Amino acid sequence: MAESPLRTSEPGQPPVRLDGSSPDRLREIHRALLLPRLIEEKMLVLLRQGRLSKWFSGIGQEAIAVGVATALRPDDALLPLHRNLGVFTTRGLDLERLLRQLFGREGGYTGGRDRSFHFGDLETGIVGMISHLGAMLPVADGLALAYQLRGEERVAAAFIGDGGTSEGDFHEALNLAAVWKLPVLFLIENNQYGLSTPVSEQYACRNLADRGVGYGMPSDLVDGNDVMAVQRAVAKAAERARGGGGPTLLEFLTFRMRGHEEASGTAYVAPGLLREWSQRDPIVRFEEALARAALLDDDVRDRLRAELRSAIDSAAEAALAAPPPRSSPERELAEVYEPAPEPVPPAPGSAEREGRYVDAIADGLRTALERDPRVVLLGQDIAEYGGAFKVTAGLAGSFGRSRVRNTPIIESGAVGAALGLALEGFAPMVEMQFAGFISCAFNQVVNNVAKTRYRWGAPVRLVIRAPVGGGVGAGPFHSQNVESWFTAVAGLKVVAPATPADAKGLLLAAFEDGNPVLFLEHKALYRSERGPIPDGFYTLPLGRARLARSGDDVTLLTYGVGVRWALEAAAALAEEDVSVEVLDLRTLLPWDVAAVTESVRKTGRALVLHEAPVTGGFGAELAATLQERAFEWLDAPVARLGALDTPVPFAKELEELHSPRGRLLGALRELLAY
Ligand SMILES: Cc1ncc(C[n+]2csc(CCOP(=O)(O)OP(=O)(O)O)c2C)c(N)n1
């Protein structure tokens, strides 16, 4: 069990050891410690003046951010949180630009699209936070995996609060880093409180550092108010990580000297603690050590403070004078997605062969891996075992375990790690064993992966494959259609192929796209849907529908397994001289509004079909759009057909009741008779 390095509450104790560092180096550290403190003091004044709306203070905790940033190399990644101003200042970000960001002005790192420290700056190696605590820890794993794969001696260092250690991502990230021996430093900034919750109500172990042993990684408990102690611990852990020794867990003991944010106050802090910890102020302690070593006197200190204050004042005034962000709806929409590359047709004269839907997906993965060394596959049991549906069978043998990787059972951790890989220029794919399990990765998908480009401009080239759908007696959790959980999320693309040729071409398009793509492959089609599959590399455009069958009397709008059902119904009605047009949407985000509108204007009738339940289903989007765009052409209200609004039941008879399949012909007849 780790022993507390803070055994005394004597003022200024224990003394800071300067470790024989050069005077210049020590002055640099001193300046680095002072800068965030003085910026914060300015922010508190601006807050009182009503020129700043909110502030999360890190006063008293600067030794951690500064100690970490000064111990690491400039090309190591830092993943700071809301109290780590010292990371940004020590990495040398332009002060006025940083302040423009904090004030939400034009010219800040996000151009007003996200607040405070919620941004990254890949040039200085900073990958900033999203609000969700813990979410950046798996991202650090992904960055570190990128370094490991490229054989670079770099590390990723991710911060987390004592409260944030309770989140599941903390566990998933530490476990993954330990299993893969990733060069990551997990840095717990234990300031003793969450928002108002003391650590006694947050965890039951004595020290958070003690958890290291449970993950199989070294750990240490460090005086977080001693910048030199922080540096020593970080330097040692980084050296081990660079040498292939894997991750380290460091717990830095400190104290939050102000409210969670300024409005929340400190009334809940146990009496005496603030006074006790004010005796351990990291800047005072460091300055005392410098003075003892005759490296600092009052004059020098006052001059340095005055110089920094004046630079801060002018940067703050300039940033406050900067205009608020100016934009337009078009510009904002254009910030969400990377422009899509042009589709690539199959090479002239290339052959095609008959195959199953599952073969086409496997072929797409193989082609992507062959074509682009940046493609890396992550998933549960996807290596030698070949995945739950054998889609990746043989790929580990052909491309090696470093590119076809079994993950522990960590949906969130895997998607977060994939984001880190993508930020480092890789093209990761994560396989969900079943689409239903993507709920465990929901936060990473919708908040981290999907929003990164819009928030701070970093493209995220990432594919998530998820086997969806029912009809195979798999019950409520292994049969879900999850598209409508995601089609409302700006920044994602959602693809749902119906044929083998489309499955391959759309999957390759997903890998080529500079945006995160959720690829929904239907389990019932894997081994029963056959068709021609073009050889070699080709892509299909994301957002373009396919005319699966031409007709005049009614349009059936659908995707995935619905296309098969629609074609069966169209063939049956053709016997009765009814001509059904079937439009296969192929992609749901974006979706082909033009093709859908055109088809429905032609036939005058539309039935939207999907295997997912009706309420809140994607069909609602189509129906609403058609009322707006095709109202005058309609001979009947747009109809929707989906599953019953129940979970997917297990027993075959109940699943048949749930599924819209058996109700399709009746619904079509009803619509035609309107
Ligand atoms: C997933 C999630 N749940 C809740 C919150 C709201 N929240 C923001 S900060 C905070 C307290 C964080 O405590 P800790 O991790 O110890 O960091 P500290 O603020 O003390 O530095 C909470 C509950 C959040 N941001 N993310």
Side-chain angles (χ1 to χ4, degrees):
M1 202 174 289
E3 267 303 315
S4 172
L6 291 170
R7 281 178 295 271
T8 168
S9 57
E10 289 293 303
Q13 293 296 316
V16 171
R17 278 174 29 217
L18 296 180
D19 291 345
S21 300
S22 73
D24 279 353
R25 173 81 173 142
L26 292 168
R27 283 191 198 102
E28 217 177 280
I29 296 167
H30 182 218
R31 189 186 183 90
L33 274 176
L34 267 181
L35 184 55
R37 170 71 57 93
L38 297 179
I39 294 174
E40 281 220 41
E41 286 177 4
K42 175 78 182 177
M43 295 309 235
L44 296 180
V45 172
L46 294 175
L47 196 70
R48 280 196 293 275
Q49 292 171 343
R51 299 168 86 191
L52 176 70
S53 58
K54 213 175 174 96
W55 186 250
F56 294 85
S57 174
I59 285 183
Q61 303 180 209
E62 297 92 341
I64 300 169
V66 171
V68 170
T70 50
L72 293 177
R73 297 183 189 164
D75 65 344
D76 292 327
L78 289 167
L79 295 92
L81 295 180
H82 48 291
R83 298 191 204 285
N84 300 131
L85 173 60
V87 163
F88 298 87
T89 50
T90 309
R91 273 278 159 104
L93 269 69
D94 176 76
L95 191 50
E96 185 185 327
R97 188 169 176 208
L98 179 61
L99 290 169
R100 283 180 181 231
Q101 166 64 28
L102 300 176
F103 298 143
R105 294 295 202 279
E106 181 98 19
Y109 285 87
T110 67
R113 295 188 178 88
D114 203 349
R115 65 188 221 187
S116 65
F117 297 115
H118 293 198
F119 67 94
D121 178 42
L122 294 176
E123 266 175 39
T124 51
I126 293 177
V127 177
M129 62 189 289
I130 65 168
S131 284
H132 294 65
L133 300 167
M136 302 313 293
L137 300 176
V139 180
D141 285 356
L143 298 169
L145 176 58
Y147 308 151
Q148 190 187 67
L149 287 170
R150 290 197 295 244
E152 297 170 347
E153 290 193 345
R154 296 163 70 186
V155 307
F159 291 77
I160 185 77
D162 43 278
T165 61
S166 301
E167 290 284 346
D169 270 340
F170 175 85
H171 167 70
E172 295 195 13
L174 267 73
N175 185 52
L176 181 67
V179 171
W180 287 356
K181 276 200 165 313
L182 297 174
V184 189
L185 314 187
F186 295 103
L187 310 171
I188 302 173
E189 189 154 346
N190 189 344
N191 65 9
Q192 327 265 340
Y193 280 85
L195 196 160
S196 71
T197 305
V199 288
S200 57
E201 295 176 43
Q202 195 69 247
Y203 53 86
C205 49
R206 180 158 171 238
N207 298 303
L208 288 165
D210 297 336
R211 290 187 184 172
V213 68
Y215 292 106
M217 71 174 76
S219 65
D220 207 354
L221 187 61
V222 182
D223 176 352
N225 282 16
D226 174 349
V227 69
M228 301 308 288
V230 173
Q231 271 201 351
R232 278 193 297 276
V234 171
K236 185 171 151 204
E239 196 181 313
R240 179 166 45 229
R242 292 186 216 287
T248 300
L249 176 64
L250 294 175
E251 178 182 2
F252 299 111
L253 289 179
T254 184
F255 200 78
R256 204 189 64 210
M257 300 304 294
R258 302 191 65 86
H260 166 66
E261 44 88 30
E262 286 306 310
S264 63
T266 52
Y268 45 82
V269 175
L273 279 178
L274 283 167
R275 193 168 31 80
E276 185 184 320
W277 279 86
S278 68
Q279 312 281 340
R280 294 180 181 149
D281 182 280
I283 298 182
V284 173
R285 280 173 72 192
F286 189 63
E287 288 182 341
E288 282 172 1
L290 291 181
R292 274 196 302 275
L295 291 170
L296 187 71
D297 59 31
D298 288 355
D299 265 7
V300 174
R301 194 194 56 197
D302 293 347
R303 270 205 310 278
L304 178 60
R305 283 180 181 250
E307 179 206 320
L308 292 176
R309 277 208 182 97
S310 139
I312 293 164
D313 284 345
S314 39
E317 288 313 319
L320 284 165
R326 280 177 296 242
S327 193
S328 62
E330 294 71 27
R331 163 100 197 273
E332 289 313 292
L333 289 168
E335 292 294 322
V336 178
Y337 294 100
E338 281 292 293
E342 284 298 308
V344 179
S350 66
E352 55 181 38
R353 69 196 159 81
E354 186 76 6
R356 300 168 304 175
Y357 185 89
V358 67
D359 304 323
I361 297 168
D363 185 354
L365 291 173
R366 185 171 283 277
T367 306
L369 282 159
E370 271 163 3
R371 184 182 154 77
D372 189 343
R374 294 169 299 181
V375 171
V376 175
L377 312 187
L378 312 176
Q380 293 160 29
D381 309 292
I382 68 164
E384 287 76 18
Y385 185 73
F389 295 95
K390 304 292 175 207
V391 181
T392 55
L395 296 180
S398 304
F399 298 96
R401 276 292 207 116
S402 62
R403 295 184 67 199
V404 182
R405 309 178 71 94
N406 278 346
T407 67
I409 303 172
I410 50 162
E411 290 75 15
S412 183
V415 174
L419 173 56
L421 278 173
L423 291 174
E424 270 297 321
F426 281 84
M429 184 284 305
V430 182
E431 176 179 296
M432 292 290 145
Q433 203 152 68
F434 287 82
F437 301 133
I438 201 171
S439 53
C440 297
F442 194 72
N443 182 46
Q444 289 292 349
V445 177
V446 308
N447 287 319
N448 223 353
V449 163
K451 294 184 182 27
T452 294
R453 190 196 191 265
Y454 180 73
R455 292 168 52 241
W456 53 277
V460 175
R461 187 180 165 208
L462 187 156
V463 180
I464 300 173
R465 291 180 32 251
V468 295
V472 291
F477 306 106
H478 291 74
S479 310
Q480 295 183 88
N481 286 285
V482 300
E483 65 272 21
S484 63
W485 300 356
F486 297 100
T487 47
V489 181
L492 287 181
K493 294 190 176 182
V494 180
V495 177
T499 69
D502 275 10
K504 180 175 170 186
L506 292 169
L507 180 60
L508 285 167
F511 274 107
E512 293 294 300
D513 206 278
N515 300 288
V517 181
L518 179 58
F519 190 83
L520 305 175
E521 43 200 58
H522 203 288
K523 298 196 299 288
L525 299 179
Y526 272 147
R527 289 178 165 74
S528 65
E529 188 67 25
R530 305 186 70 88
I533 307 167
D535 282 345
F537 178 77
Y538 65 97
T539 65
L540 295 167
L542 300 185
R544 204 80 52 75
R546 176 181 72 96
L547 187 62
R549 180 180 174 120
S550 177
D552 300 314
D553 298 332
V554 59
T555 300
L556 241 172
L557 298 163
T558 188
Y559 48 90
V561 75
V563 176
R564 171 189 282 178
W565 302 343
L567 291 173
E568 286 165 3
L573 287 180
E575 309 277 307
E576 302 166 24
D577 270 346
V578 176
S579 165
V580 179
E581 177 143 307
V582 178
L583 204 59
D584 171 5
L585 291 179
R586 284 169 153 172
T587 69
L588 309 181
L589 189 63
W591 63 278
D592 196 340
V593 179
V596 167
T597 308
E598 192 189 328
S599 170
V600 176
R601 285 182 181 178
K602 181 181 81 173
T603 63
R605 286 183 160 81
L607 174 65
V608 186
L609 165 70
H610 50 60
E611 194 188 33
V614 174
T615 303
F618 190 67
E621 186 64 31
L622 292 167
T625 306
L626 285 170
Q627 316 291 358
E628 291 163 2
R629 296 192 172 230
F631 185 75
E632 287 92 4
W633 287 264
L634 286 172
D635 298 322
V638 177
R640 287 185 292 161
L641 182 64
L644 292 184
D645 289 324
T646 67
V648 187
F650 166 60
K652 187 167 170 288
E653 298 71 13
L654 297 181
E655 193 176 7
E656 278 168 12
L657 274 182
H658 170 81
S659 168
R661 187 178 190 177
R663 290 179 273 125
L664 177 55
L665 272 177
L668 273 170
R669 289 210 169 90
E670 204 177 303
L671 178 62
L672 286 158
Y674 181 88

